[in-house]
Amino acid sequence: MSVVCLSTAYLAPVSYYCKLYTFNSVRIEACENYQKQTYRNRCRIATANGMQELTVPVEKSPTPKILTRDIRISDHGNWRHLHWNAFVSAYNMSPFFEYYADDFAPFYEKKYTFLMDYNEALQQLICELIDLQPQIIRTDTYEANLPNDFRNVFHPRHPHDDPSFHPQPYYQVFREKYGFLPDLSIVDLLFNMGPEALPVLSDSCRQTDNAHRPLPPQKQAASR
């Protein structure tokens, strides 16, 4: 069984979900020292004013280093309300936002204590909506050297060099204004493409990586 190692991520980018599509088994790193200013607690969406970054605030650690699994979400700044309003403003005119809104709204009403729990619950929902079925487990120890290690590859501050990822353009609400914005949060793909998200995800993975994960017959038909 093929295994990939990833960090936790808040509404991760499309390239991250390509790994969930490509690999059968996923290890989410829980025992690393938490890294700030990464996709672990932020995502990127497309808005009328261009790309916008949304950040889940976390509580300040009492020590210089703290494990990712112990990171707690802060209620500072009414961020849940701000994030949800940003989604409504950015995607209210997208083809599928109204269809999925009731699935996502509870995540901006209920309070979660730990960042990893919040991220994992959102990830589980998104996998269900897109029809991804990887086996996902948390790590219980930290290992420095692992095969297919992408724990520190995805970063909002610099593009990653991943030859297996080939972003396929898809409909975006503000594409005529800004052109296609690649590798935004997976919700951008989901709200804009709905059931067609999986074929786009498949096409964004290089053939050498996804040859062992063909689309189901019904998805193949949808992608034609």
Side-chain angles (χ1 to χ4, degrees), residues 159-202:
H160 59 86
D161 182 17
D162 181 3
S164 68
F165 178 61
H166 184 64
Q168 295 298 303
Y170 56 85
Y171 171 80
Q172 291 176 329
V173 175
F174 304 107
R175 183 170 177 175
E176 289 189 5
K177 185 175 182 180
Y178 296 108
F180 175 68
L181 300 176
D183 208 22
L184 297 178
S185 167
I186 190 67
V187 297
D188 184 82
L189 174 58
L190 186 63
F191 293 155
N192 283 308
M193 298 300 291
E196 295 297 312
L198 186 61
V200 173
L201 203 61
S202 173

Side-chain angles (χ1 to χ4, degrees), residues 31-42:
C31 301
E32 64 180 356
N33 291 324
Y34 180 70
Q35 298 182 39
K36 300 178 181 179
Q37 299 185 351
T38 68
Y39 285 126
R40 289 164 177 80
N41 72 323
R42 64 194 62 205

Side-chain angles (χ1 to χ4, degrees), residues 47-121:
T47 74
N49 296 317
M51 187 179 65
Q52 180 179 351
E53 194 169 274
L54 302 175
T55 302
V56 178
V58 298
E59 293 184 0
K60 186 176 181 180
S61 170
T63 60
K65 294 182 179 181
I66 183 172
L67 299 185
T68 297
R69 69 186 181 194
D70 297 325
I71 291 293
R72 293 172 178 263
I73 295 175
S74 170
D75 286 328
H76 178 73
N78 197 21
W79 68 270
R80 294 177 184 84
H81 177 73
L82 295 176
H83 283 212
W84 185 249
N85 281 354
F87 292 138
V88 172
S89 177
Y91 297 110
N92 192 45
M93 298 302 293
S94 67
F96 294 96
F97 178 76
E98 184 177 355
Y99 183 79
Y100 294 121
D102 288 344
D103 293 310
F104 284 90
F107 290 92
Y108 298 91
E109 299 166 355
K110 176 183 176 180
K111 292 185 178 181
Y112 283 75
T113 301
F114 293 98
L115 178 66
M116 281 202 73
D117 292 340
Y118 185 58
N119 288 350
E120 287 178 2

